[in-house]
Amino acid sequence: MAIPQLTAEERAQALEKAKQARAKRAEVREQLKSGEISLADVIAKKDDEVIGRMKVSTLIETLPGYGKAKAEKIMTELNIADSRRLRGLGQRQQAALLERLG
């Protein structure tokens, strides 16, 4: 599939949309890290277009006391693929994740 040719205006709009999405994901991660919101709150918002595209491993790593190694271990224990995004979590995976970390 070829990359679509965008006009300068369309490209600028796409870049701005991507910038806003990154800022929103960073804000959610910061709120999660500071304890303003819980993991359950984030999972409840998984239908949001921007939040739903966050990687589960990134969310786990955001939690205080968790890094890449612990996140990988938890993902393996819960049978969640490394590439899984929040929107793609099934009911059982959500429940297991909240039970383990919530």
Side-chain angles (χ1 to χ4, degrees):
M1 186 167 126
I3 298 174
Q5 297 299 317
L6 301 176
T7 64
E9 183 178 314
E10 290 171 332
R11 181 170 167 72
Q13 288 173 348
L15 288 171
E16 182 61 30
K17 184 178 177 183
K19 180 180 172 184
Q20 290 173 355
R22 285 191 304 272
K24 184 173 182 178
R25 285 192 292 268
E27 179 183 340
V28 168
R29 286 193 312 270
E30 187 58 40
Q31 289 175 343
L32 187 61
K33 191 175 194 175
S34 68
E36 292 177 43
I37 60 175
S38 68
L39 185 61
D41 296 334
V42 176
I43 291 177
K45 296 178 185 179
K46 76 175 192 164
D47 292 330
D48 181 297
E49 181 180 329
V50 175
I51 295 174
R53 291 186 179 171
M54 293 176 75
K55 284 193 168 189
V56 176
S57 59
T58 303
L59 274 180
I60 295 172
E61 290 171 22
T62 300
L63 296 169
Y66 291 90
K68 285 195 179 288
K70 283 186 181 178
E72 280 182 30
K73 182 180 177 188
I74 290 170
M75 298 274 289
T76 302
E77 288 174 4
L78 300 179
N79 294 322
I80 300 174
D82 294 337
S83 61
R84 180 67 63 202
R85 304 222 179 238
L86 194 56
R87 182 182 297 160
L89 284 178
Q91 291 293 339
R92 290 183 187 145
Q93 290 175 326
Q94 287 178 36
L97 192 62
L98 287 174
E99 183 180 322
R100 181 78 156 72
L101 301 173

